[in-house]
DNA sequence: TATTGTTATACTCTATAACTATA
DNA sequence: TATAGTTATAGAGTATAACAATA
């Protein structure tokens, strides 16, 4: 399959937005990158995560901690194996995370009823109370970051993203 | 502002998809996480990047290398400062990357015409030829990963993602 | 034999402070 | 004084191999 060579750099009329704007940097043509879903999804995710880190710092939760705690809260008795599978994490990277949450008194480890190898994870009342607040903060921050979207567009975006990774 | 407490774990009818499926893991309820744009955008991005790493490995390009090379190709003479600004990179992390691309003969560094401090980056013919192939490969892989989307949905998704981070 | 959880470890990515050369 | 590029380095994130206990 042939393809046209690299598009010409458009010498005539490049997108210029620096007209009389004091210390702006010369803009760059990223037209091609903007056609890539991976590029745009990553940039959007990082933009949201940046604010997430700020707002959730008072709870001592980073994105992965938050995802794990939320999943434990909504699935009492869930195992590490299940968390790894559903959140796409690797077992060795979950160990320290779980230990940290336990030492903070946010979760408890109980023997699994049917499988002696596994350990059931449960949120403590303290952990549950923290996550009610944390989830509320996360939801608020998300609405701020997606303020340019209508509720319908927001719903559409969530559904389309899930069509990619699920 | 008050909020309802953590939703009950729905004891009656949890989403079970493991009916008579040999070695499937008990599924987990991630309903809440799926309402978060940051979570879904990150999962989608990582899903695409996973295949990107495989397919672009023969070119010796990772996502950031690819973004930088593509931007240099489409913007001859662009500076490191401009790359950092438009791709959201930090200057120290770009240094080694640029040196690597130069030592591979993919780009050249030329003195900037107007600013003695800056260096203009240019793709060599070898670099341009590589990127024509690499961009084609990237575009193909993206279409595979978004195969569940119609062209209209794909266009919508790109536009909505840009509304978040731009 | 296969799986859960763990340890140790290496590799990559990202971030900060400080320096130089030029504007 | 401010900016472009660089250096050194620390921290976080992600990866693989190998092991013990249980199925």
């Amino acid at each position: 399959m042939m393809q046209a060579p690299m598009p010409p750099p458009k010498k005539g009329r490049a997108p210029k937005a620096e007209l009389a704007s004091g210390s702006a940097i010369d803009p760059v043509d990223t037209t091609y990158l903007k056609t890539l879903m991976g590029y745009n999804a990553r940039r959007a995710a990082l933009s949201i995560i940046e604010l997430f880190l700020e707002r959730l710092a008072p709870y001592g939760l980073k994105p992965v901690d938050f995802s794990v705690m939320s999943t434990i809260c909504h699935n009492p008795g869930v195992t590490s194996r299940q968390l790894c599978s559903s959140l796409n994490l690797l077992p060795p990277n979950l160990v320290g995370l779980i230990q940290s949450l336990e030492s903070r008194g946010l979760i408890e480890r109980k023997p699994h009823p049917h499988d002696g190898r596994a350990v059931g994870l449960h949120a403590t009342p303290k952990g549950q109370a923290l996550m009610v607040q944390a989830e509320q903060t996360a939801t608020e921050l998300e609405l701020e970051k997606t303020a340019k979207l209508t509720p319908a567009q927001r719903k559409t975006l969530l559904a389309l993203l899930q069509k990619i990774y699920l």
Side-chain angles (χ1 to χ4, degrees), chain A:
Chain A
M1 181 69 76
M2 284 297 293
Q3 176 180 307
M6 201 64 60
K10 298 184 183 63
K11 293 172 185 172
R13 43 196 168 93
K16 293 190 179 180
E18 78 285 16
L19 294 174
S21 71
S23 61
I25 308 133
D26 278 10
V28 167
D29 177 16
T30 54
T31 305
Y32 171 72
L33 290 179
K34 286 180 185 167
T35 69
L36 297 180
M37 201 64 75
Y39 177 78
N40 288 283
R42 182 158 193 273
R43 291 294 300 266
L46 289 175
S47 171
I48 297 170
I49 290 171
E50 183 180 25
L51 185 58
F52 186 101
L53 289 171
E54 278 182 37
R55 298 284 180 86
L56 275 294
Y59 301 99
L61 296 175
K62 293 182 188 174
V64 185
D65 309 311
F66 178 89
S67 300
V68 168
M69 274 301 295
S70 176
T71 305
I72 293 173
C73 281
H74 295 292
N75 299 270
V78 70
T79 67
S80 291
R81 173 74 187 83
Q82 288 176 293
L83 287 173
C84 287
S85 175
S86 64
L87 299 178
N88 201 28
L89 304 173
L90 293 173
N93 300 333
L94 195 57
V95 174
L97 205 156
I98 294 292
Q99 288 174 346
S100 171
L101 295 175
E102 187 184 24
S103 70
R104 289 172 60 189
L106 301 178
I107 63 172
E108 280 180 343
R109 295 154 42 102
K110 300 181 182 176
H112 192 282
H114 306 316
D115 190 334
R117 299 168 300 181
V119 178
L121 303 172
H122 302 258
T124 62
K126 179 182 174 185
Q128 288 177 33
L130 182 82
M131 285 309 294
V132 168
Q133 295 304 118
E135 288 189 353
Q136 180 177 335
T137 300
T139 298
E140 285 170 4
L141 137 209
E142 288 249 332
L143 290 174
E144 284 182 45
K145 269 292 179 183
T146 58
K148 290 180 185 169
L149 274 54
T150 67
Q153 285 177 323
R154 197 171 181 288
K155 189 177 174 184
T156 297
L157 184 43
L158 291 174
L160 293 180
L161 285 172
Q162 285 164 20
K163 281 198 159 208
I164 294 177
Y165 78 87
L166 283 184

